Amino acid sequence: MFKNNKKVDLYILASILFGAKTYMVYRFFFTINLENFMQELILLINPFVTAFLVFGLSVWLKESKQLRFIRYANLIGTLILYCNLLYYRNFGDFITLPVLFQGSNAGDLGASTFASLRLQDLLIFIDLVLIWRLTRKNRTDLTVSFVSKKKKLVLSISILMLLGNYILAEIERPQLLQRGFDREYLVKNIGLFNFHIYDIFQQSHSQAQRVFADGNQLYDIVTYVKENTTDQEKNEYFGIAEGKNVIVISLESVQSFVINNTLYGEEITPFLNQLVEESFYFENFYHQTEQGKTSDHEFIIENSLYPLPSGAAYFTHSSNTYMATPEILGNEGYTSAVFHANTGSFWNRNNMYATIGIDHFYDIEAYEVNDLNSVGWGLKDKEFFEQSMKYLLNLPEPYYTRFITLTNHHPFELDEEDATIGQYHSNSRTLNRYFQTVRYLDESVEQFFNQLKESGIYEDSIIILLGDHYGISDFHNRSMAMYLDKDEITPYDHIQLQRVPLFIHIPGLEGETISDIAGQIDIKPTLLYLLGIDDSNDLSFGTSLFAPNRKEFVALRDGSFITDELIFTKDIYYNRLTGEEILNLNEALDDESELIIPDELVKLNEQVELELTYSDQIIYGDLFRFYNFEK
Ligand code: GP9
Ligand code: MN
């Protein structure tokens, strides 16, 4: 077909064919969830951008090598695409470096790969065959047509196109590369091949940090932890829930300000308000999450370690050694399970859960999800709890379970028939709607409690409910200030808005409202304490909320911290109870007057910094692999 045309732009032909094929696989072979036009557009553009970039490199080669480059690039690209497809059919996920190096996984893969072959897969190889035929040795009539002068032009166009793709992806998902989110998000925004490059870069970066770490670093950390957070005095609460089932409910995006509060005279969370009366309710409990949001809260409560300053540890350090709650409880005869009606790979949960010893993960596959029973991010919470019951009832006791809710997630969408409270009226649609989804969550939890009671599970369980992180960001501060009846949201208010509710509900015990400061980092030691499990060999940065001798501060990931008397943030010390400024380091410095910071404060700041650094060192260096938790 190219007989009369001596020089064919083979690399352009190859790019178009390969791009079209990749798009076909993305769109019709993988089940990638596309939510809007922008995502459709990016998915369409990206395969061509990448193909053009790769095949366009051929113009830099000597003519004799160009054809060979194009055929092998096509072969390798096709294989990568196809291997991912086969893996995806088995695991609903894309291949990552750690997966390639996990022997056991490969074994599973071999067995089921054969079963996942489909006739339609032949389509993936058509362009490969064509390109190979066109580039046979004896075909001298074909080559890459650009003369050397235009090399730079080709490369510049490729890079510009790649940049364009990246900008679109950033618009669609800000901070996509820094935060990771979900492999599906990455693939749909930057494409499979760029995702692999991203993955290789990220994994080698953490591997390098791991390789250069050594066990000696642990010595100081262990000393610090033993001195500051271990050896908790035992009181009557130690072991008070021994042998009970544990049910942890993560209240997506619920902040404390909605509890015992009203909207136009109406209670926002009637059920939770009643639960305050029947539980240990911590009114000064802070979330400590960073970019990893929900996954960070999971990471903190299971490990009593801080989340990373950037990125999600669930993503970047899922192959580390940990000694998380599920594993500790597993050693005590507990079965563990997480229920969450979202894709298993979101926040890399499927891999992280395997690492931290969660026995069962009921992800979206375990639920019946359709248009009628879902809204916003997916399955409605009432449906979620309802459908979870059958699995819960079949778990061997005692169990440790976590339920992660979803409906009260930004942008807080709700079907009209599910709204039982009005909206707020302000300039922020987000805040306006928030109250409705919070109310829906309140009702979902009530329904779940009723089901637990009806099925007899309730009596033998302790139930912990906590907010995972804020729901209303600073972007809505003006409307928030209006709702809270304040002139503005100061840095002090911002910190106080990072309070999320924590309920520890122990059937049979009266409970009380506790005003002591607390953080998500305290959940693991608290739970072990209540279950009567000795954790003196554990390395945690939190302390039991029931122990009489607690650590004196709650550190947030950005270095802000809270003590009984103070809140420190943005270089300002505030009185925690009144919000009054005590010492403003910014102003003092501007004055150029000599700044005298009380020793006590200096020491506190140092300790917070040290603690965050130690926690990071553990994660970056995978230091727990050097620690013997048994001794
Ligand atoms: C995703 C859900 C929400 O599975 O947990 O995550 P978030 O965006 O809140 O981190
Ligand atoms: Mn969340």
Side-chain angles (χ1 to χ4, degrees):
M1 80 172 128
F2 298 103
K3 276 268 149 62
N4 300 327
N5 184 355
K6 252 198 146 278
K7 298 233 170 183
V8 174
D9 289 350
L10 185 69
Y11 83 94
I12 294 189
L13 178 73
S15 307
I16 293 176
L17 290 177
F18 197 87
K21 155 170 108 181
T22 313
Y23 176 69
M24 170 189 78
V25 174
Y26 286 171
R27 194 68 182 76
F28 304 108
F29 289 31
F30 291 125
T31 46
I32 293 180
N33 183 18
L34 296 169
E35 289 147 28
N36 53 42
F37 175 72
M38 184 70 136
Q39 294 189 351
E40 293 266 7
L41 184 72
I42 296 174
L43 197 76
L44 173 67
I45 297 176
N46 169 270
F48 296 97
V49 173
T50 311
F52 188 74
L53 181 75
V54 173
F55 291 114
L57 290 178
S58 59
V59 302
W60 291 82
L61 300 174
K62 275 197 244 138
E63 277 202 15
S64 58
K65 301 248 167 79
Q66 290 175 345
L67 294 187
R68 202 140 40 106
F69 176 84
I70 290 185
R71 56 173 20 201
Y72 283 102
N74 188 310
L75 176 69
I76 294 169
T78 304
L79 286 178
I80 293 177
L81 195 61
Y82 195 48
C83 289
N84 270 286
L85 180 63
L86 294 180
Y87 185 77
Y88 189 87
R89 286 195 181 132
N90 282 296
F91 299 99
D93 200 354
F94 303 96
I95 297 174
T96 57
L97 265 195
V99 162
L100 285 183
F101 293 110
Q102 273 160 22
S104 57
N105 244 337
D108 291 348
L109 198 56
S112 42
T113 300
F114 195 66
S116 24
L117 303 178
R118 306 264 189 287
L119 198 60
Q120 76 215 39
D121 296 354
L122 289 176
L123 291 174
I124 299 174
F125 296 91
I126 292 179
D127 74 310
L128 178 69
V129 174
L130 189 75
I131 295 291
W132 274 61
R133 286 189 62 87
L134 289 175
T135 54
R136 269 177 320 204
K137 271 210 186 89
N138 50 0
R139 310 258 331 203
T140 47
D141 53 343
L142 275 169
T143 185
V144 178
S145 68
F146 275 109
V147 276
S148 51
K149 262 192 274 170
K150 298 211 176 143
K151 279 176 191 166
K152 288 185 184 140
L153 178 70
V154 177
L155 190 65
S156 316
I157 295 178
S158 318
I159 290 175
L160 274 179
M161 279 167 42
L162 191 69
L163 204 68
N165 183 173
Y166 177 72
I167 292 172
L168 286 183
E170 257 310 296
I171 296 174
E172 164 59 23
R173 271 276 138 180
Q175 296 191 306
L176 177 74
L177 297 188
Q178 292 93 307
R179 301 179 58 186
F181 294 109
D182 182 14
R183 275 182 284 283
E184 190 175 300
Y185 275 29
L186 285 162
V187 170
K188 82 181 161 192
N189 282 297
I190 61 170
L192 185 66
F193 301 98
N194 294 324
F195 159 71
H196 283 311
I197 294 172
Y198 169 84
D199 177 56
I200 290 170
F201 181 78
Q202 196 201 53
Q203 300 288 349
S204 353
H205 182 67
S206 22
Q207 271 312 317
Q209 284 179 315
R210 188 177 183 275
V211 167
F212 291 114
D214 75 80
N216 295 331
Q217 277 176 283
L218 252 184
Y219 182 79
D220 289 343
I221 301 177
V222 174
T223 314
Y224 173 86
V225 168
K226 296 271 171 209
E227 272 170 19
N228 291 282
T229 64
T230 348
D231 293 322
Q232 312 179 10
E233 277 172 35
K234 315 250 181 310
N235 57 17
E236 72 272 24
Y237 289 106
F238 184 81
I240 202 163
E242 196 181 325
K244 295 245 186 208
N245 296 320
V246 179
I247 299 176
V248 180
I249 305 174
S250 293
L251 305 168
E252 175 61 46
S253 301
V254 177
Q255 295 175 224
S256 300
F257 77 86
V258 294
I259 305 292
N260 279 326
N261 207 345
T262 55
L263 180 71
Y264 302 126
E266 223 183 304
E267 265 185 301
I268 304 159
T269 56
F271 177 72
L272 292 177
N273 297 349
Q274 177 196 324
L275 201 64
V276 167
E277 305 300 320
E278 302 160 6
S279 314
F280 295 96
Y281 176 68
F282 295 82
E283 58 182 6
N284 288 307
F285 176 72
Y286 294 82
H287 86 79
Q288 293 163 301
T289 65
E290 245 308 320
Q291 293 188 318
K293 303 295 288 291
T294 308
S295 76
D296 273 355
H297 112 285
E298 298 183 55
F299 184 80
I300 306 167
I301 67 175
E302 304 269 43
N303 295 296
S304 195
L305 292 171
Y306 291 93
L308 292 178
S310 70
Y314 257 48
F315 238 100
T316 54
H317 293 83
S318 65
S319 321
N320 274 16
T321 300
Y322 295 103
M323 184 46 77
T325 308
E327 189 171 344
I328 298 175
L329 294 188
N331 294 337
E332 304 286 324
Y334 274 73
T335 304
S336 55
V338 175
F339 299 78
H340 182 48
N342 195 3
T343 329
S345 64
F346 203 98
W347 288 130
N348 198 27
R349 287 186 174 103
N350 48 0
N351 291 323
M352 189 58 159
Y353 286 177
T355 300
I356 61 173
I358 285 171
D359 301 320
H360 307 283
F361 178 19
Y362 298 97
D363 69 1
I364 195 161
E365 304 291 331
Y367 296 88
E368 209 155 305
V369 186
N370 53 49
D371 283 349
L372 285 179
N373 67 12
S374 39
V375 68
W377 276 58
L379 190 64
K380 296 179 184 179
D381 289 341
K382 286 185 186 172
E383 274 287 332
F384 162 64
F385 282 122
E386 173 81 43
Q387 292 189 33
S388 300
M389 281 307 292
K390 56 178 179 294
Y391 301 119
L392 185 61
L393 282 164
N394 279 318
L395 281 184
E397 295 184 290
Y399 47 71
Y400 166 76
T401 53
R402 290 200 290 112
F403 292 78
I404 306 172
T405 57
L406 200 53
T407 309
N408 186 44
H409 190 290
H410 185 266
F412 310 112
E413 284 170 279
L414 197 66
D415 290 335
E416 228 170 272
E417 75 257 24
D418 292 320
T420 57
I421 186 169
Q423 293 197 359
Y424 183 53
H425 305 294
S426 74
N427 284 337
S428 159
R429 269 168 55 98
T430 300
L431 180 64
N432 298 352
R433 290 195 290 224
Y434 179 67
F435 297 96
Q436 294 192 317
T437 44
V438 167
R439 165 63 79 78
Y440 176 82
L441 178 52
D442 181 74
E443 290 172 0
S444 314
V445 174
E446 177 173 24
Q447 171 209 297
F448 187 46
F449 263 71
N450 289 336
Q451 278 171 320
L452 292 177
K453 285 180 183 163
E454 281 160 25
S455 58
I457 292 175
Y458 176 77
E459 292 296 325
D460 293 326
S461 309
I462 71 166
I463 305 166
I464 300 176
L465 302 95
L466 79 160
D468 60 349
H469 48 73
Y470 67 83
I472 307 297
S473 69
D474 284 342
F475 189 70
H476 307 277
N477 271 354
R478 284 183 58 175
S479 301
M480 189 60 134
M482 185 170 125
Y483 172 73
L484 296 175
D485 214 4
K486 289 175 182 284
D487 296 337
E488 56 166 345
I489 301 293
T490 63
Y492 166 83
D493 297 320
H494 167 81
I495 297 294
Q496 290 301 61
L497 281 169
Q498 306 314 306
R499 284 178 296 181
V500 296
L502 168 65
F503 300 81
I504 298 183
H505 183 76
I506 310 180
L509 284 193
E510 246 181 38
E512 64 182 280
T513 293
I514 296 169
S515 307
D516 297 348
I517 54 162
Q520 288 172 331
I521 204 121
D522 299 319
I523 295 292
K524 177 188 180 188
T526 303
L527 181 60
L528 296 178
Y529 195 86
L530 293 173
L531 296 179
I533 295 167
D534 172 44
D535 65 349
S536 46
N537 266 328
D538 202 30
L539 295 181
S540 297
F541 288 103
T543 45
S544 167
L545 297 175
F546 291 89
N549 54 337
R550 306 240 348 262
K551 206 174 68 182
E552 59 173 328
F553 62 85
V554 174
L556 305 189
R557 184 58 253 198
D558 67 354
S560 303
F561 63 83
I562 301 107
T563 69
D564 214 16
E565 287 96 39
L566 293 171
I567 286 186
F568 174 74
T569 187
K570 303 251 183 284
D571 288 333
I572 308 172
Y573 294 89
Y574 294 93
N575 178 314
R576 180 175 73 92
L577 296 173
T578 63
E580 208 183 314
E581 258 187 54
I582 297 174
L583 179 65
N584 186 333
L585 302 186
N586 302 309
E587 275 172 19
L589 285 177
D590 287 348
D591 265 3
E592 287 182 12
S593 59
E594 207 178 310
L595 183 63
I596 302 165
I597 313 172
D599 276 358
E600 214 185 286
L601 296 187
V602 174
K603 257 183 69 191
L604 256 171
N605 273 42
E606 281 171 2
Q607 198 182 339
V608 168
E609 285 305 322
L610 188 69
E611 195 165 298
L612 290 166
T613 309
Y614 279 158
S615 176
D616 291 347
Q617 282 177 1
I618 291 174
I619 302 166
Y620 290 136
D622 189 9
L623 296 186
F624 280 175
R625 72 198 143 119
F626 302 116
Y627 185 70
N628 182 0
F629 287 90
E630 310 271 296
K631 70 179 180 234

